[in-house]
Amino acid sequence: MVKSWRATVLTIFPEMFPGMLGRSLAGKALEAGHWHLETVDIRDFARDKHATVDDAPFGGGPGMVMRPDVVDAALDSVEGTNRPVIYLTPRGRLLTQSRVRALAEGPGAVLLCGRYEGIDHRVIEARGLEEVSVGDYVLSGGEPAAEIVLDACVRLLPGVLGSAASLDEESFERDLLEYPHFTRPQEWEGRAVPEILVSGHHERIRAWRLEQSEQLTRERRPDLWARYVARREKKDLMS
Ligand code: 9WO
C-alpha cells in the first residue's frame, strides 16, 4: 500500500473544508482513502488572549495584514517537510495543468490561505513560499482557490478517475481546448447533432473533433495556439 496523497490547509476558516470538495468526485476519493485532508486553524497559533492573527499595515492604508509570527508558527506545526508549501494569492504564478500534474505526482501539498489584505511579506520570503494564483481576479480569501487546486490535483490521483478520462491527457493535444460534446436527443429544439457524429466513421469523427478543437483554440486562446503549433512543428521535425 502506497502512502496516500496528503493535503494540509492552513486557514482561519477550517470549517470551509472539505466544502464543495466533499460533494464531488474529490469527496468520494477522500472517503475511498485516495487522499488525506487536514486543516490547521491559524488562529490556534495566536498568542494573545484575543487570538489576534492580523494587524494594521505599516505605512498605512486600508485593511489588515496577517502577522508573520502567527503564520510562521502555524506552518511550523505542519508535518512532512517534503511537500510544496503554496500560498494562494492573485499575485502568484498562474496555475497550469502541468503544475497540477507535478503536484499530483508528488506526496501532496500544504496550502496557505490568506484573508484581509494578505500576509506579511517577510513570511513569504523567509519560508520561500510558492505563490500560486488560480485566475486573474480577487477573492475575499484564499480558501476557494485552495479548493480549486485540490480538485484539480485529486482527479489525477491513481484510481480516482475511470481509465477513459486518464488517457486524454497525453501528447500535444493537451494544449487544445475541448471539442463540443453532444448526447441524446439527436434533435433538440430544432437543433441537430452534427451529422458526422452519428455516421459511425470513427477516423473522420476523430479528425472532425481535432479540427473543432484547433479552430476553437485559434479563435479563443492565441497563447495556447502558439504553444500547440510550436510543439506540433517540433514533433514533425523529429519524425
Ligand atoms: C485585497 C485588496 C484590497 C485593496 C486593494 C488590493 C487588494 N488586494 C487584495 C488581496 O489580494 N487580498 C487577498 C485576499 C489576500 C490573500 C488572500 N485573498 C485572496 C486570494 N483573494 N484572492 C485570492 C486568490 C488566490 C488564488 N487565485 C486567485 C485569487
Side-chain angles (χ1 to χ4, degrees), residues 62 87-92 94 113-119 132-143 145-146:
Y87 173 48
L88 286 314
T89 166
R91 290 187 10 158
L94 272 179
C113 304
R115 281 272 153 178
Y116 317 109
E117 293 359 286
I119 66 178
V132 169
S133 167
V134 300
D136 289 336
Y137 37 76
V138 180
L139 304 168
S140 47
E143 288 82 2

Side-chain angles (χ1 to χ4, degrees), residues 4 25 35 38 44-45 73 83 86 88 97 100 112 119 122 128 150-151 161 163 172 177 195 207 215:
S4 82
L25 178 84
W35 65 298
E38 68 191 359
D44 289 346
F45 298 86
R83 288 177 293 162
I86 293 171
L88 286 314
Q97 190 64 19
V100 168
L112 172 60
I119 66 178
R122 291 168 295 180
L150 293 176
D151 185 284
L161 270 193
S163 52
F172 57 90
L177 300 180
E195 199 54 44
Q215 189 186 326

Side-chain angles (χ1 to χ4, degrees), residues 124-239:
I124 299 174
E125 272 187 1
R127 287 277 181 168
L129 299 181
E130 177 183 349
E131 297 181 80
V132 169
S133 167
V134 300
D136 289 336
Y137 37 76
V138 180
L139 304 168
S140 47
E143 288 82 2
E147 291 195 22
I148 287 170
V149 173
L150 293 176
D151 185 284
C153 289
V154 167
R155 63 181 286 281
L156 299 184
L157 299 178
V160 171
L161 270 193
S163 52
S166 47
L167 292 174
D168 78 13
E169 288 288 329
E170 247 351 276
S171 92
F172 57 90
E173 290 177 27
R174 280 197 297 232
D175 287 329
L176 292 178
L177 300 180
E178 251 197 309
Y179 53 79
H181 300 283
F182 301 89
T183 187
R184 278 183 285 275
Q186 199 176 327
E187 187 177 317
W188 173 73
E189 297 193 349
R191 295 165 188 269
V193 166
E195 199 54 44
I196 179 77
L197 298 179
V198 293
S199 69
H201 291 118
H202 300 294
E203 191 48 41
R204 280 162 60 187
I205 289 171
R206 210 195 53 78
W208 181 86
R209 284 175 167 168
L210 179 59
E211 191 182 273
Q212 292 285 311
S213 285
E214 288 181 346
Q215 189 186 326
L216 199 63
T217 308
R218 214 183 300 118
E219 287 169 5
R220 289 192 186 171
R221 294 291 303 274
D223 56 327
L224 292 184
W225 179 249
R227 208 160 69 192
Y228 171 74
V229 170
R231 293 223 295 160
R232 198 176 50 180
E233 279 164 5
K234 200 165 145 195
K235 193 186 166 174
D236 284 347
L237 281 176
M238 291 191 304
S239 63

